[in-house]
Amino acid sequence: MATIHDAASGIAEIAKNTDTEWGREKRVITHDTPLMAELDLASVLADENIAVDVARFKPGEDELAGKQRLRGLTEAAYIGVTGADWCAVDCAALAMLTGPGKGRATSLVPSLHIAVIALDNLVADLSEIYAHMRNLETMPASMTFISGPSKTADIEAQLVHGAHGPREMHLFVVTG
């Protein structure tokens, strides 16, 4: 477990010490949530010349233009930093509900996914996540379960990381 400051420092270390694929500039995209704002990654990574974009619409931005702009930012990022609504401890699966500022692409498109979750959002198992979902006033458009980086061996039995999502994943559990 870590403090929010520890998590931000850990994310900065990962960003500094990992290489991008295809020689692109280092860019990070984050969800637009209070937890992500608290990390303040733009300030933490400023000295490293690593750009940090927040997945949010600009005030008055046309929806289609905003989606296209956010898609471009997400595709340019090599690290996606998200929160998670819950984490089932028994199988280490993150449950992420979509919503404004919390698109699926942030966790699925960049090569590395880093999730930050509050200790209070850890639950015993998937049945607890479903119980929490029954108490939601409105259901989200979608929900994603993430249990680790993408890997497959379906082509010539060769293990490949990152074929259908991030090739690497990290999780920070933060307290207060």
Side-chain angles (χ1 to χ4, degrees):
M1 283 180 284
T3 65
I4 198 76
H5 175 74
D6 295 334
S9 295
I11 293 167
E13 283 301 310
I14 293 167
K16 287 189 287 190
N17 296 315
T18 56
D19 293 324
T20 64
E21 295 174 324
W22 308 291
R24 292 184 176 174
E25 85 175 296
K26 290 189 174 188
R27 294 191 78 83
V28 173
I29 189 159
T30 71
H31 273 170
D32 184 18
T33 64
L35 181 61
M36 295 298 105
E38 211 176 330
L39 286 170
D40 194 19
L41 292 177
S43 295
V44 174
L45 293 170
D47 290 342
E48 301 301 323
N49 293 320
I50 299 174
V52 178
D53 297 303
V54 179
R56 77 166 67 102
F57 283 94
K58 294 178 179 178
E61 185 173 37
D62 173 73
E63 184 177 358
L64 180 58
K67 286 181 179 182
Q68 290 174 335
R69 183 182 58 78
L70 291 176
R71 179 180 180 170
L73 291 174
T74 304
E75 289 173 353
Y78 85 111
I79 295 178
V81 183
T82 69
D85 293 281
W86 303 283
C87 178
V89 175
D90 71 336
C91 61
L94 297 175
M96 298 173 51
L97 306 177
T98 59
K102 293 174 50 177
R104 290 181 301 168
T106 306
S107 66
L108 298 172
V109 174
S111 295
L112 281 74
H113 174 214
I114 301 173
V116 181
I117 189 167
L119 179 63
D120 294 345
N121 292 53
L122 299 182
V123 298
D125 53 31
L126 294 175
S127 64
E128 277 195 62
I129 291 174
Y130 295 128
H132 282 291
M133 289 186 68
R134 279 193 289 277
N135 294 328
L136 295 175
E137 289 182 28
T138 58
M139 291 301 286
S142 69
M143 176 178 170
T144 305
F145 282 106
I146 300 173
S147 60
S150 166
K151 52 184 148 174
T152 184
D154 60 353
I155 300 174
E156 296 184 11
Q158 295 295 313
L159 183 62
V160 176
H161 287 85
H164 308 292
R167 63 179 161 83
E168 191 175 310
M169 184 180 172
H170 301 268
L171 174 65
F172 289 90
V173 178
V174 295
T175 58

